[in-house]
Amino acid sequence: MIIFLLVLCQLQAQRIKGEVHADGSVLPFANIAVRGTAYGAVANDEGIFEIRDLLPGKYQLEISYTGFVTVYRKVVLSEKDVFIKVELLPDDELDEVVVSGTLKPVSRMETPVPVEVYKPAFFQKNPSSNVFEALQQVNGVRPQINCNVCNTGDIHINGLEGPYTMVLIDGMPIVSGLSTVYGLSGIPNSLIERVEIVKGPASSLYGSEAVGGLINIITKDPELSGTFTADSYLTGYGAYNLDLGFKMSVGEIATTLLGVNYFNYDHPVDNNQDNFTDVTLQHRISVFDKFSFRRPENRVFRLAGRFFYEDRWGGEMQWTSEYRGGDEVYGESIYTKRWEVLGEYQLPVDPDLMFTFSYTDHDQNSWYGNTPFMAVQRIGFARLTWDQELGSHSLLSGISGRYNFYDDNTPATENAHGNLPDEVMIPGVFVQDEWRFDEKRSLLTGFRYDYDKRHGNIFTPRLAFKWKLTDTDILRLNAGTGFRVVNLFTEDHAALTGAREVVIEESLKPERSWNINLNYLKKVYSGSGNYLEMEMSAWYTYFNNIILPDYDTDPDQILYRNLDGYATTTGFSVNLDYHLANGLKFSFGGTLMDVKKNDGGETIRPVLTERFSSTWGISYTIIPWNLKIDYTGNLYGPMRLPLAGDLDPRNPDSPVWSIQNIQFTYIRSKKFEFYGGVKNLLDWTPDKGNPFLIARAEDPFDKNVEYDNDGNVMSTPDNPYALTFDPSYVYAPNQGVRVFAGLRCFID
């Protein structure tokens, strides 16, 4: 009888089997416990576990791993074994540390300034050769291409144009003005730790240009990075990209992280048949080296440098370098060289003083048809900060200096006596105090003073209130001002092409903005392993002295002056991230906004400003196949487009358009990933529904354009729409559907 009962129990006993993963990869040696019992298991090196001899019934599993959030899963055993898949989230994914909002490391849940964080895994869902293109998947952030021929561009945040966005590398403002599109190219993706984005003015900490927001690209700490990384892919258009990262020790002195990016695209394509290249051809090399020095008491000393070279051209299909600068075949050819140095050094004194510095030298040799543009820009920046805790107050104060040198061959750097480079030193001082009333409420106040000899004294105050409703509910109210000193020739490609005459109607004043932003962040983490993050923001920004180029008054001119009135942007955005315990992940972002300017009592919407936009992503890993699927996309509402005259037959507004992509990643092991997919699944290009994109593409030097006695373009049989050559009608990428394939390699 006893033997019979033992056999019966053995027949009824079941097993719980499963696999533990993190971000689609196996997580070896995780601990699995059956709560309330002595049963448990440890996953093997492939993340697989098995718990035997359980009788039918209801159980709760506790799955844990150091550095990850513990997950609880309910399991019901009946007559069959049960197989489960468990996805663990890193602790830092729930509560990242950020620095961009307050210039000091602080938990994202604790900072009074809303900061969005994007890690390499986010950008790997839709691989790109540069940060500029990768940002198209961030809600409220839009890379704007400003020329159909050379494909230069800038970054729009919440509908504001590129000059209002400050781009930082490791907190240093080395990407600016002339160098924006080039500075965002060639940063090896293998070296990027994360990208932090602040939407709204940050001039009280960072000075000029941080008017609409800032993008801070934070590179990896050499001490914490892997030994070797590689990422290489090829597209159906023939573009090839290679990223390499190497970690090495320099004796007992330092650790260095070397990154190399190489990009090549040399296959002209003209799918819209206007005899112009649809995509700019590029040959680019970038080398980035970062040192972390070992010092007593773990004091910080990091030093980094980058060299960047690029040769890009676009133009008529028959163009070759022998036509550069001539008027036989039109081409836009740009040679760019950049040197960058940046670092941070913690002084060996008490209290804590941190010295940060950067310097960049940008040399551009370019021809737009037969119009030369030769420019040099040098930016030096230094900042000394003092960080001190005084009771319930967290103080940060500092002094800074910014050196700008700019010279080119245009009227921007000329006077009656000849060439006059723009050279200015802008000293500044700032102070910031975060007053913690209690564990739930804090108030941050800040103030900055800068002096610019061209514009005089500039003051930028700041206020931020944080109310921690619960441990996972944060309400933030931010208000502040921003300013921008203007060097328009370094920021507006249309002013450089030679297609229009530039007219500056008055002495330009610095632009000013006032902003208020209300932000709500909610995180929900269930014991079953599901995770939801929701963030909502509403904002209002008011500008005066704003400089908006006037393309409408005269199709042959760009008129610049300070706005006789004001401009506003009002909007609402929402971000949702939902991670399910089975590994399925959803993300969605949506933005509604109203951007307008009032000039002399007339209210209009600026060109290239969408009313709404959205981004999304769906990811799922089929664990038995080691296959991860990523579907990403974005959608943009109509924008007013820059027409070249009253008879211009092109659409005055863009349609609703979307770029969607799919990627399949085969995770061979922890060291190798093979990926491939399709970009622009809908094959959307801006020429759809338009008779042409580039005005007068058949006559790029305007040799057959006729003018009346007042200098206006005349309508003729050869030029029925009374147009001149103009490539500035652009709002979306010209590349259609294309496949891509690549390989990633990781060695710890």
Side-chain angles (χ1 to χ4, degrees):
M1 183 65 179
I2 295 176
I3 295 175
F4 174 76
L5 290 175
L6 290 174
V7 172
L8 181 62
C9 289
Q10 184 67 30
L11 290 173
Q12 291 180 335
Q14 308 297 331
R15 294 178 297 178
I16 299 177
K17 302 178 182 179
E19 294 181 357
V20 184
H21 287 250
D23 197 25
S25 301
V26 297
L27 191 64
F29 312 121
N31 295 303
I32 300 93
V34 183
R35 303 193 73 189
T37 76
Y39 290 95
V42 177
N44 63 19
D45 59 358
E46 295 182 351
I48 299 173
F49 69 88
E50 181 178 306
I51 304 174
R52 296 174 174 269
D53 303 328
L54 292 171
L55 294 176
K58 297 180 179 179
Y59 298 94
Q60 188 176 48
L61 302 186
E62 179 180 319
I63 303 98
S64 60
Y65 193 93
T66 302
F68 289 78
V69 178
T70 300
V71 167
Y72 300 92
R73 291 287 296 274
K74 292 181 179 179
V75 176
V76 177
L77 280 177
S78 55
E79 298 178 356
K80 295 182 179 180
D81 295 343
V82 171
F83 179 85
I84 64 172
K85 295 179 290 186
V86 181
E87 180 86 5
L88 297 187
L89 290 172
D91 273 330
D92 63 355
E93 187 165 335
L94 298 180
D95 196 11
E96 304 96 339
V97 173
V98 296
V99 297
S100 300
T102 59
L103 272 184
K104 59 171 68 178
V106 62
S107 160
R108 183 171 171 236
M109 293 294 287
E110 297 300 329
T111 177
V113 179
V115 180
E116 298 179 14
V117 180
Y118 298 92
K119 297 187 177 180
F122 175 85
F123 299 111
Q124 288 173 358
K125 296 176 182 179
N126 179 29
S128 63
S129 64
N130 56 71
V131 178
F132 177 81
E133 182 182 342
L135 290 172
Q136 66 180 301
Q137 289 304 122
V138 177
N139 180 34
V141 177
R142 184 169 65 84
Q144 172 60 48
I145 297 174
N146 293 327
C147 173
N148 265 309
V149 180
C150 67
N151 289 171
T152 54
D154 51 30
I155 303 293
H156 292 206
I157 294 182
N158 287 343
L160 297 179
E161 294 178 308
Y164 304 106
T165 299
M166 171 170 275
V167 181
L168 311 166
I169 298 180
D170 287 336
M172 294 290 98
I174 64 175
V175 179
S176 174
L178 174 68
S179 59
T180 297
V181 68
Y182 311 103
L184 284 174
S185 300
I187 300 174
N189 292 331
S190 58
L191 299 190
I192 296 177
E193 174 69 25
R194 65 186 185 275
V195 176
E196 296 182 2
I197 297 177
V198 177
K199 298 173 181 176
S203 291
S204 63
L205 283 181
Y206 296 96
S208 177
E209 297 175 39
V211 178
L214 66 89
I215 298 170
N216 191 3
I217 301 166
I218 298 175
T219 59
K220 293 179 180 178
D221 184 338
E223 296 284 356
L224 303 177
S225 63
T227 302
F228 174 76
T229 60
D231 190 346
S232 177
Y233 74 87
L234 179 71
T235 75
Y237 264 56
Y240 174 71
N241 186 75
L242 173 66
D243 268 312
L244 297 175
F246 307 87
K247 172 184 174 181
M248 296 172 287
S249 293
V250 185
E252 299 295 324
I253 301 174
T255 301
T256 180
L257 183 61
L258 176 66
V260 178
N261 171 254
Y262 175 76
F263 178 78
N264 184 270
Y265 171 63
D266 60 1
H267 179 60
V269 174
D270 180 25
N271 288 334
N272 59 20
Q273 298 182 350
D274 60 1
N275 195 42
F276 270 73
T277 53
D278 292 342
V279 184
T280 302
L281 285 78
Q282 300 176 52
H283 182 244
R284 179 174 70 236
I285 180 91
S286 176
V287 180
F288 187 101
D289 203 358
K290 185 175 184 179
F291 289 84
S292 177
F293 294 90
R294 300 180 182 92
R295 299 179 60 208
E297 301 180 20
N298 293 320
R299 293 188 183 273
V300 174
F301 181 25
R302 299 188 183 96
L303 185 65
R306 182 169 75 123
F307 172 73
F308 171 94
Y309 174 79
E310 182 182 70
D311 174 3
R312 69 163 61 196
W313 76 269
E316 294 186 90
M317 293 291 288
Q318 66 271 29
W319 188 91
T320 61
S321 58
E322 66 186 52
Y323 294 109
R324 192 173 195 262
D327 62 358
E328 298 177 52
V329 179
Y330 188 89
E332 297 186 2
S333 172
I334 303 170
Y335 300 155
T336 305
K337 289 190 297 185
R338 280 177 60 83
W339 291 93
E340 301 168 354
V341 178
L342 63 153
E344 53 183 337
Y345 181 81
Q346 186 178 4
L347 274 66
V349 297
D350 191 21
D352 186 12
L353 291 175
M354 184 71 73
F355 178 64
T356 53
F357 57 91
S358 66
Y359 179 79
T360 179
D361 188 300
H362 183 105
D363 188 305
Q364 183 166 322
N365 179 317
S366 50
W367 285 86
Y368 298 87
N370 58 353
T371 301
F373 178 64
M374 309 297 169
V376 174
Q377 184 179 45
R378 303 186 185 106
I379 300 175
F381 181 82
R383 180 175 61 214
L384 182 66
T385 56
W386 173 54
D387 188 359
Q388 184 69 36
E389 297 289 329
L390 296 175
S392 60
H393 293 265
S394 178
L395 295 174
L396 180 76
S397 58
I399 57 175
S400 67
R402 176 166 175 158
Y403 169 76
N404 287 345
F405 174 89
Y406 177 75
D407 190 18
D408 65 23
N409 63 317
T410 75
T413 55
E414 290 182 359
N415 64 11
H417 303 289
N419 187 55
L420 182 65
D422 182 18
E423 187 173 13
V424 63
M425 182 71 184
I426 306 176
V429 58
F430 61 91
V431 61
Q432 174 181 278
D433 175 28
E434 184 179 355
W435 181 14
R436 295 181 294 272
F437 301 133
D438 50 40
E439 292 183 356
K440 294 184 178 295
R441 295 171 299 164
S442 66
L443 177 68
L444 181 145
T445 56
F447 177 83
R448 182 182 182 96
Y449 164 75
D450 291 90
Y451 177 76
D452 186 319
K453 66 181 182 181
R454 301 166 298 183
H455 306 300
N457 303 314
I458 304 174
F459 301 92
T460 46
R462 180 190 202 187
L463 182 72
F465 176 72
K466 184 203 70 178
W467 184 8
K468 194 173 184 180
L469 305 174
T470 70
D471 287 341
T472 56
D473 291 80
I474 305 291
L475 187 67
R476 299 179 175 98
L477 179 65
N478 279 246
T481 65
F483 77 94
R484 182 173 74 100
V485 294
V486 180
N487 191 333
L488 62 93
F489 279 81
T490 68
E491 297 162 349
D492 197 325
H493 169 269
L496 309 176
T497 62
R500 295 182 182 227
E501 179 188 1
V502 176
V503 178
I504 302 175
E505 296 187 329
E506 62 186 9
S507 177
L508 300 177
K509 301 175 183 178
E511 300 181 354
R512 300 299 302 263
S513 72
W514 287 260
N515 172 271
I516 186 167
N517 181 300
L518 181 64
N519 175 270
Y520 172 68
L521 176 65
K522 171 71 174 178
K523 294 191 177 188
V524 179
Y525 179 74
S526 69
S528 61
N530 296 335
Y531 165 64
L532 171 68
E533 177 178 305
M534 177 181 66
E535 185 170 15
M536 297 184 292
S537 293
W539 71 88
Y540 174 79
T541 305
Y542 178 94
F543 293 86
N544 66 350
N545 288 340
I546 194 169
I547 299 171
L548 289 176
D550 179 1
Y551 295 91
D552 301 325
T553 301
D554 189 328
D556 289 326
Q557 294 182 335
I558 307 174
L559 305 176
Y560 287 95
R561 59 180 173 82
N562 286 112
L563 191 68
D564 180 19
Y566 61 89
T568 62
T569 172
T570 308
F572 173 81
S573 69
V574 60
N575 286 323
L576 295 172
D577 284 288
Y578 188 35
H579 296 190
L580 279 71
N582 63 6
L584 188 62
K585 300 178 182 180
F586 298 90
S587 65
F588 171 80
T591 299
L592 297 172
M593 56 191 173
D594 181 22
V595 182
K596 56 189 177 183
K597 67 173 182 176
N598 185 292
D599 189 10
E602 181 184 4
T603 300
I604 62 172
R605 185 161 58 105
V607 298
L608 299 173
T609 302
E610 67 274 20
R611 295 186 184 275
F612 62 86
S613 64
S614 67
T615 60
W616 63 86
I618 301 174
S619 300
Y620 183 67
T621 301
I622 305 175
I623 293 177
W625 298 355
N626 295 324
L627 182 66
K628 184 180 179 182
I629 303 173
D630 293 294
Y631 167 59
T632 57
N634 51 47
L635 182 142
Y636 297 103
M639 311 175 200
R640 193 169 72 89
L641 301 177
L643 296 181
D646 293 337
L647 301 178
D648 194 332
R650 294 173 294 184
N651 295 326
D653 294 282
S654 68
V656 176
W657 59 280
S658 174
I659 302 293
Q660 300 176 29
N661 321 282
I662 191 166
Q663 176 180 259
F664 301 90
T665 304
Y666 175 63
I667 305 169
R668 178 64 181 85
S669 67
K670 294 177 64 177
K671 296 182 178 180
F672 293 97
E673 293 181 358
F674 301 90
Y675 62 92
V678 181
K679 288 178 178 283
N680 197 356
L681 286 164
L682 303 181
D683 195 26
W684 171 258
T685 51
D687 61 302
K688 291 179 169 58
N690 270 308
F692 51 83
L693 288 179
I694 300 176
R696 297 287 294 171
E698 72 281 5
D699 184 22
F701 296 100
D702 292 334
K703 294 180 178 180
N704 297 317
V705 174
E706 297 183 19
Y707 300 86
D708 62 21
N709 293 331
D710 295 325
N712 300 313
V713 181
M714 297 174 56
S715 176
T716 64
D718 181 65
N719 187 12
Y721 304 120
L723 302 177
T724 57
F725 175 73
D726 188 358
S728 63
Y729 183 95
V730 58
Y731 60 91
N734 270 329
Q735 277 187 307
V737 62
R738 59 201 183 277
V739 298
F740 65 93
L743 167 68
R744 297 189 185 101
C745 175
F746 315 92
I747 298 177
D748 292 331

